[in-house]
Structures are given as C-alpha cells and as structure tokens.
Amino acid sequence: MPSAIEVRKVPIHSVSDASELTALIDEGVISADRVIAVIGKTEGNGGVNDYTRILADRAFREALVDKGADPEAVKEIPIVWSGGTDGVISPHATIFATVPDEDVVPSDEPRLTVGFAMSEPLLPEEIGRRGMISKVAAAVKVAMERAGITDTADVHYVQTKTPLLTIDTIQDAKSRGHDVFTEDTLTSMDVSNGGTALGIAVALGEIEMPDDADVLRDRSLYSAVASCSSGVELDRAQVVVVGNARGVGGRYRIGHGVMTDALDADGIWDAIRSAGLDLPERPRTSDLDGRLVNVFLKCEASQDGHVRGRRNAMLDDSDVHWHRQIKAAVGGVTAAVTGDPAVFVSVSAAHQGPDGGGPVAAIVDLG
C-alpha cells in the first residue's frame, strides 16, 4: 500500500528561492527525506531558453540536501517546472511528501496518492512520434502501479516533463541518418507535449495507439488528465501520476474536469467538485473556504482563431507569441475562480483536452 500524502503550495519569492520549502521542513509540516515530487511555476519566458526552470530546480534540490535528505535520492525526485507566469499568475510550487504511518489520518474513502516513473531515454527522432508515445505509455503504467492505482478512472492528473528539440539534438539525429518532426525548436515544445499526451491517453485507455501522422493534426485525440511540459533539462519522460486510492488515508483528494474553451470557468468548478467539495450550483470563491490546495491546468489557443464565435488575433500576432497570450488569459480566468493568482496554468496543450480548451485537476483538503 502506498503512503498517505501531505501536499502544500508555497510562494516563490525569486527565481532561485526555496525558503518556503525549508520553512515547511523547519516547522515539521514535512520531512526533507519524504518529499516525493514538486510541481511549480517559474517566472521565465516559458520558452526553449527559459533557464529559470534550471535555477529553481537547483534551489529546491539543494534545499532538500541541506535539510538532511540523501543527495542521491534527491537527484531522482521528479521536480517539474513550467516556465512563464504571464499576466497575474504568481510563481509558486506545490510540494508532495509522504506521511509517516503514525501520523496518518485513517480513511477508507478515496484519498490522494502519487506515483512516479521515468521512461526509457527518448531519442530526438522519436519526439512526437510512436517511439515517444510507446515509451511514455509504458512509464505511465509503472507510475500507476507505484501509486497503488489499478483502475484508470482513479487517475485524475498526469504531470510530465519531456525533452524538446534543440539545435544540438537535431544535429545528433541527422548525424545518425534520422530526421526529426520539426526543426523549429519552439514548435518542438508543442510536438513533445502533444506526443507525450497521446502516450498518456494510450496508457489510460482513452484512445488507441495513433499514427505518427495524427500528432498535432487530429485534435479529436486527447487525454482529459494529461498535463505535459517540456524543456532542455532531461532526455527522458519524467512522469508523475496523481490519483485517489482507498485505504491510503490522509486529508487530501484530487478530481478533474475539462475546460471546453479559454473562458470555461465551469470546467474549473467541475474539477473542484470532482475532488469532493460540496459546492452550490453557482459557486463563489468564498465557498472554497480555504480548502482548495491548488488547481493545475493546460491551455491552448483554438486552431480556428476564435473563442465562442469571436475572432482573436493570437495566432497571427508576430510580436507576442500565442503561448504567452493564452496563458495569461486562462490564468486570469482561473485566478478569478480560486481567488488566488498562484495557480498552475501551463500552455502548449496539444492533445491535452479538446482544441481550444484543456484539462483541469484540483486538489482539496477534506480535513
């Protein structure tokens, strides 16, 4: 049986700040050697060269080691940073740690559980193709098993980090006689995220194995629980499966919903309800009563350039990339629901939720 989970959201005060993590450890809320995953937002540009992710990663790992965690074990902790806090989104981290058996609040009801796995190395020529999809799907199944989840319906959030393409990796593929999905390194972020999402969808039985030609083209193929980020920090898929299991105990529960478009606040409320909060038909932020830990969303500019029948210029804008515009827009909608700008809103949602929308996961404290 996996361990019960403690989960806390903390602000990040600068790009290399981990002071709120160390405060949680000093206060005895969590133990450094029990941290199993971190998912957060950093304030960089969110692009290929967003090195704030590396700075934050280093700061959090060094803080755990300084507080007594084994350095070798800390290297293996999945720490997933999504760069870019456009608009009102505030830099923050959500920290997951196991709870000692003697401190667990017992419950036979579904409670939060987390599993982690790393895929086999992903070659540059596999990114956005069946090779990637198959390797990601295999890793998701391992993470599910480690989380103690046997029913895919109990998976509500799969956060991944995968490599995107760089000039160096593109040249590496060519030197071995292979081509790559795209030679545009920024576009490769969408490619990597989309291929990863399809791997999640395959693992969870949401779709059958797609063809290479379906990636970024057939937007009817998607996962309702995938949240995929990519960067230059690694060469494998880092997979964190978050769901519910009976018997693990603890105070927290996760649920999910889907935003059908960039303005669909009801999709966020649906995720919070799914996590177990009893809300009125037309809820307000005050109804959350401090019980919402965090929400995790992916967003995407609709391929037809419209939202609810109204045209927008995001996809035609040569000054500000649509990644930044849609992230800021959905971040504002999300913060209006939660009343807290420290929300995890990540862009590049190909095959993650329907076109123009995206999946939403919510973690609540049931007490």
Side-chain angles (χ1 to χ4, degrees):
M1 177 66 69
S3 299
I5 302 295
E6 179 67 39
V7 55
R8 295 294 179 98
K9 180 172 68 177
V10 298
I12 297 175
H13 302 295
S14 68
V15 292
S16 57
D17 171 55
S19 62
E20 300 289 350
L21 167 62
T22 58
L24 286 178
I25 297 169
D26 290 342
E27 293 164 6
V29 176
I30 61 174
S31 174
D33 60 0
R34 285 185 169 273
V35 173
I36 58 170
V38 178
I39 299 171
K41 293 292 299 183
T42 65
E43 61 203 79
N45 62 24
V48 176
N49 64 335
D50 183 353
Y51 297 109
T52 64
R53 297 183 298 236
I54 296 175
L55 293 171
D57 187 273
R58 179 178 298 171
F60 269 62
R61 293 186 196 277
E62 289 178 352
L64 291 173
V65 172
D66 288 345
K67 290 298 179 179
D70 177 66
E72 292 305 311
V74 168
K75 290 179 182 178
E76 299 301 316
I77 296 173
I79 300 182
V80 180
W81 297 107
S82 170
T85 51
D86 304 87
V88 300
I89 300 170
S90 184
H92 69 280
T94 304
I95 301 160
F96 299 82
T98 58
V99 179
D101 290 343
E102 61 270 20
D103 295 334
V104 173
V105 178
S107 176
D108 291 327
E109 294 299 311
R111 289 294 184 266
L112 187 72
T113 182
V114 178
F116 164 68
M118 294 288 279
S119 77
E120 296 179 21
L122 293 166
L123 301 175
E125 61 267 25
E126 292 178 320
I127 293 175
R129 292 169 172 163
R130 273 192 165 194
M132 173 184 233
I133 295 169
S134 297
K135 289 180 178 180
V136 169
V140 170
K141 291 178 180 179
V142 171
M144 276 184 61
E145 182 178 357
R146 291 175 177 172
I149 298 174
T150 56
D151 186 346
T152 57
D154 291 325
V155 176
H156 295 278
Y157 178 42
V158 182
Q159 178 65 57
T160 62
K161 191 76 175 187
T162 51
L164 44 68
L165 293 168
T166 66
I167 296 300
D168 287 343
T169 58
I170 291 169
Q171 292 303 316
D172 170 61
K174 288 182 175 181
S175 72
R176 293 181 288 102
H178 298 283
D179 65 359
V180 292
F181 190 104
T182 179
E183 295 191 20
D184 183 323
T185 57
L186 183 56
T187 298
S188 78
M189 180 182 295
D190 301 322
V191 174
S192 182
N193 291 357
T196 303
L198 290 173
I200 295 168
V202 168
L204 300 181
E206 295 173 285
I207 63 170
E208 299 296 327
M209 174 63 77
D211 294 325
D212 286 351
D214 293 325
V215 180
L216 295 194
R217 296 181 180 90
D218 187 351
R219 298 300 180 109
S220 69
L221 302 176
Y222 65 82
S223 171
V225 298
S227 177
C228 306
S229 292
S230 50
V232 297
E233 308 97 303
L234 69 176
D235 64 356
R236 297 182 290 171
Q238 185 173 261
V239 179
V240 181
V241 167
V242 189
N244 297 313
R246 294 183 182 275
V248 297
R251 297 163 41 194
Y252 303 96
R253 185 171 172 177
I254 188 169
H256 78 274
V258 172
M259 291 181 76
T260 58
D261 62 32
L263 302 178
D264 184 17
D266 285 343
I268 303 171
W269 288 116
D270 287 345
I272 297 169
R273 285 192 180 92
S274 170
L277 287 193
D278 185 16
L279 298 171
E281 182 178 354
R282 298 303 303 170
R284 303 177 61 168
T285 302
S286 57
D287 295 318
L288 297 173
D289 194 28
R291 293 173 293 171
L292 178 65
V293 177
N294 205 3
V295 288
F296 306 84
L297 300 87
K298 293 293 293 188
C299 58
E300 183 91 347
S302 178
Q303 296 293 294
D304 66 5
H306 288 73
V307 175
R308 302 196 180 182
R310 297 289 192 181
R311 185 177 69 89
N312 63 71
M314 282 187 287
L315 297 177
D316 290 325
D317 194 329
S318 298
D319 294 317
V320 181
H321 195 275
W322 67 264
H323 277 191
R324 309 199 73 163
Q325 298 190 46
I326 191 64
K327 191 190 306 176
V330 174
V333 172
T334 306
V337 169
T338 65
D340 182 358
V343 289
F344 186 92
V345 178
S346 176
V347 76
S348 187
H351 304 297
Q352 299 150 76
D355 180 40
V360 187
I363 296 176
V364 301
D365 185 348
L366 297 176

